[in-house]
Structures are given as C-alpha cells and as structure tokens.
Amino acid sequence: GSRLSKRKNLARKKYNSGTMGATISHCAEAVNPTDQAAALLPPAAAAAVTPAAPAPAPKVNYMDLPCPVKYEELQREALMSLKPELFEGCRFDFTRPLNQKFSLQHSLFMGSVEVPSQSSQTFKVPAASYEFGANLIDQKGMIIGRLLTDGRMNARIRYDLNDMLSFKMMTQLAEEKSFSQVMFDLDGKGLDWQGQIKLGNGAFYGVNYLQSVTPTLALGGEAFWLGSQRKSGVGFAARHASSSCVATAQIATTGLLSATYVQKVSDKVSLATEFLWNWNSREAQASVGYDYFLRQCRLRGRIDSAGVVAAYLEERVNVGVTFLLSAEIDHSKKDYKFGFGMTLGE
C-alpha cells in the first residue's frame, strides 16, 4: 500500500511539472509585443503593425537592354559642362530660315588669336573673320556648309540609310595641304549596341563599339591605324548612366587615362568633374565644373588644377535672341580672355 501511494504521488509531480513547463513555454512565445498589439487591433491596423517582408529585387531581362550612346559621345554630359565654346572678343551670329528645311547663317568675329611661341608668355594678334553658311536639315539627313574669308571651307553630310545604318562625311579644305582633311563614318545601331567604322585621309582607319551589359552599364572599345605616321592604338571604355549620375572611364595604349563624373543635383543644376592622366609624359590634370539652368539663361563654369577659371553665360533676351558672355582667366600665365556676343535666329 505504501509503495502504491508513492507511485501515485510521483506520477502527480511529473504531470504537474510537465503541465507547468508547457504553460511557461507557451507564455514565453506569446510575450512578443508586436503579436499582442496585432491581436488586439482590427485586421487593417494589424496588417500595418506587422512588419512587411522585403520586396524581391526586380529581375533583369538581359535580352531587352537599352541602346547606349555612341562611342564618340561617351563623355557628352561632362563636355557640355566643362568645355563650353569659349571665345575672346566680339561674336555675332545670324540665322535666317528660308523654309522649314533650308536656312542661311552669317557669323562675324572680331578679336585676337594666340600665336605659338617657344617662351612661356602668350602672344596675341588681332584677327577678324566672316563666315557664311548654309544648312539643309531633313528627317533623313542633313547638309551643313561653311565658307570663311581666309579660304577655308567646311562641310558635314549625314544621311540615314535605315533605322540601323547611317552615313556621315566631314571635310575641311584649306590652301595649305596639311590642313585639308576628310573623314567618312559608317554608324551601326542595334537594340543594345552601337558601332562605327571610320576612314580618313592619311591612311586613317578606325573602329569602335559600345555594348550594354546591364540597364545602366555599357562597355566598349576602339582601335585605329594611321598609316602616314605608322601609329596605332587601342582603347577601352566603360559608361555607367542612371537617372541621377553619369560616370565614364577610358584608357588607351597611347598613354591617356580619362575619367569623368556628372551628378544631377536637381532638374536645373548639374556638377561635373574630370581627371586626365598621361603616363608617357607623367602629367595629370583635374577639373570641376557646374551647369546651371535658370528661367531665361544657362550658366556654365569650371576650374582646373592648373589655375584656369572659366565661365560661359547664355541669356535668352527674347524669342530667337540670345546674349553671350565668355570669360577665362589663367592665373599662372597671366592670360585673360573676355568675350561677348549675340545670336539671332533659332
């Protein structure tokens, strides 16, 4: 009898300890305050309190990548901000449209030009020129010609053969044979790539190619051969472009390394920087610039590591009337360039 009572007491203790352990573990699981708050709130509010699972990353369709820019336009955003068309003196441009496709252009320039010298000082001589031009622009192509008073003649022709192929020709004729040039380009365009074949005088042959590898990254390269000087070169390039920034990098066997970065601060303000290094001459240069769009004007400026500061202002006075201001100061050479101009016509 005593043994039977002991066994009953031991069974009761095991049952009570097991029940209490299960109750404690159940209470520990229910202590989560987030779950308690979600249980006491209505279903809509409970869904807001419960942390949402992270959204899966969108899958990239590598068969539907965007078409990149042309290889020769790899740094176009940085060049627009860092290298405006600076000039010294007075400049006047007038464009007269005759119809929707054909227009005439007159350009007058009065100022000074630099004369090459072996000394560190800069020598300038007064100069003036008049330029007459004609523009024929159509949906399939364009023809642009310029004739200057010094005897030079420039012409540019572009024609789109179809949606994938286009032909371009650029030529310059001058009295000196060494200044006369001609270049033929055949541009190819695909869904996610662009390529170009170049032929020029002096036995010049070139080819370049740019391929999109992701929605924001494009990789490519170029090669050229200049038979008249027995020179050749190969280069590689990368371009990253998003909605807020553009970064590029180029390296070539000619000894040049180039990198640019453009940050879009807002719809009206962009900041740009450029780094150049020539490992053959062990020379490097860096520059920083800005591009600011106001309501009726556009202001661009830059400063580089050589101490050169430049600014370029385009102010829209009226419809078809633009006022220009150009300034560049080289503190090391004590060279100052200031210019103003007017542009009439679109």
Side-chain angles (χ1 to χ4, degrees):
S2 60
R3 291 182 179 179
L4 181 60
S5 61
K6 289 181 179 180
R7 290 178 180 177
K8 290 182 179 180
N9 293 334
L10 183 60
R12 289 194 188 97
K13 290 181 180 180
K14 290 183 178 180
Y15 174 80
N16 293 334
S17 61
T19 306
M20 186 177 297
T23 305
I24 292 174
S25 63
H26 176 73
C27 293
E29 293 176 357
V31 170
N32 190 345
T34 304
D35 296 340
Q36 287 183 346
L40 297 176
L41 292 176
V49 172
T50 305
K59 295 183 178 180
V60 178
N61 185 5
Y62 291 97
M63 301 301 294
D64 188 21
L65 296 176
C67 184
V69 300
K70 296 181 180 180
Y71 193 92
E72 58 187 9
E73 299 176 358
L74 194 75
Q75 302 177 345
R76 62 183 183 183
E77 292 84 1
L79 295 179
M80 290 293 292
S81 301
L82 298 174
K83 297 182 181 180
E85 298 180 3
L86 301 174
F87 62 96
E88 182 179 12
C90 177
R91 175 176 141 189
F92 178 77
D93 298 326
F94 174 65
T95 302
R96 181 185 178 185
L98 301 181
N99 52 45
Q100 295 182 352
K101 299 181 180 180
F102 187 69
S103 63
L104 299 178
Q105 184 172 357
H106 306 270
S107 300
L108 180 64
F109 171 76
M110 293 181 293
S112 58
V113 295
E114 297 183 3
V115 178
S117 62
Q118 298 180 354
S119 62
S120 59
Q121 296 182 354
T122 303
F123 295 94
K124 301 180 181 180
V125 295
S129 64
Y130 168 75
E131 179 180 308
F132 174 76
N135 307 321
L136 178 60
I137 301 177
D138 195 2
Q139 295 181 353
K140 296 286 292 183
M142 67 177 184
I143 301 176
I144 299 176
R146 297 288 184 269
L147 181 62
L148 286 77
T149 52
D150 57 2
R152 288 181 299 164
M153 183 179 68
N154 303 325
R156 294 176 57 192
I157 300 174
R158 182 181 65 83
Y159 183 75
D160 297 332
L161 303 176
N162 50 44
D163 295 338
M164 297 184 61
L165 294 176
S166 62
F167 168 80
K168 291 190 303 183
M169 186 189 73
M170 294 175 288
T171 180
Q172 174 178 303
L173 301 179
E175 295 181 357
E176 299 85 354
K177 185 179 180 180
S178 58
F179 289 95
S180 298
Q181 299 178 357
V182 62
M183 183 73 68
F184 298 95
D185 296 343
L186 181 62
D187 298 336
K189 178 180 179 182
L191 297 177
D192 56 0
W193 61 271
Q194 290 217 48
Q196 186 182 66
I197 299 176
K198 306 175 74 71
L199 301 175
N201 62 328
F204 177 84
Y205 307 95
V207 61
N208 58 63
Y209 181 82
L210 194 64
Q211 171 73 54
S212 293
V213 294
T214 69
T216 58
L217 180 63
L219 303 176
E222 64 174 343
F224 74 90
W225 165 257
L226 185 57
S228 60
Q229 301 181 9
R230 299 293 179 179
K231 291 184 179 181
S232 63
V234 177
F236 302 94
R239 174 185 168 93
H240 172 79
S242 65
S243 59
S244 60
C245 66
V246 177
T248 66
Q250 284 183 282
I251 186 172
T253 56
T254 54
L256 184 63
L257 172 65
S258 172
T260 66
Y261 180 78
V262 179
Q263 176 68 46
K264 186 177 181 181
V265 181
S266 65
D267 294 338
K268 297 182 178 181
V269 181
S270 297
L271 301 178
T273 181
E274 181 184 30
F275 174 76
L276 297 174
W277 180 48
N278 191 330
W279 67 67
N280 292 330
S281 59
R282 297 296 188 271
E283 294 181 354
Q285 183 179 1
S287 59
V288 179
Y290 60 88
D291 195 347
Y292 189 15
F293 287 88
L294 291 102
R295 188 168 60 91
Q296 289 187 342
C297 70
R298 180 183 184 183
L299 179 62
R300 287 175 284 178
R302 76 163 192 271
I303 181 172
D304 60 23
S305 56
V308 180
V309 182
Y312 190 77
L313 173 67
E314 299 173 274
E315 183 172 1
R316 191 182 183 91
V317 181
N318 205 338
V319 178
V321 181
T322 304
F323 178 68
L324 307 176
L325 280 178
S326 175
E328 184 180 16
I329 301 176
D330 190 343
H331 294 283
S332 61
K333 296 182 180 180
K334 296 182 179 180
D335 183 22
Y336 312 100
K337 300 178 183 178
F338 296 96
F340 65 94
M342 185 75 70
T343 300
L344 302 179
E346 296 292 343

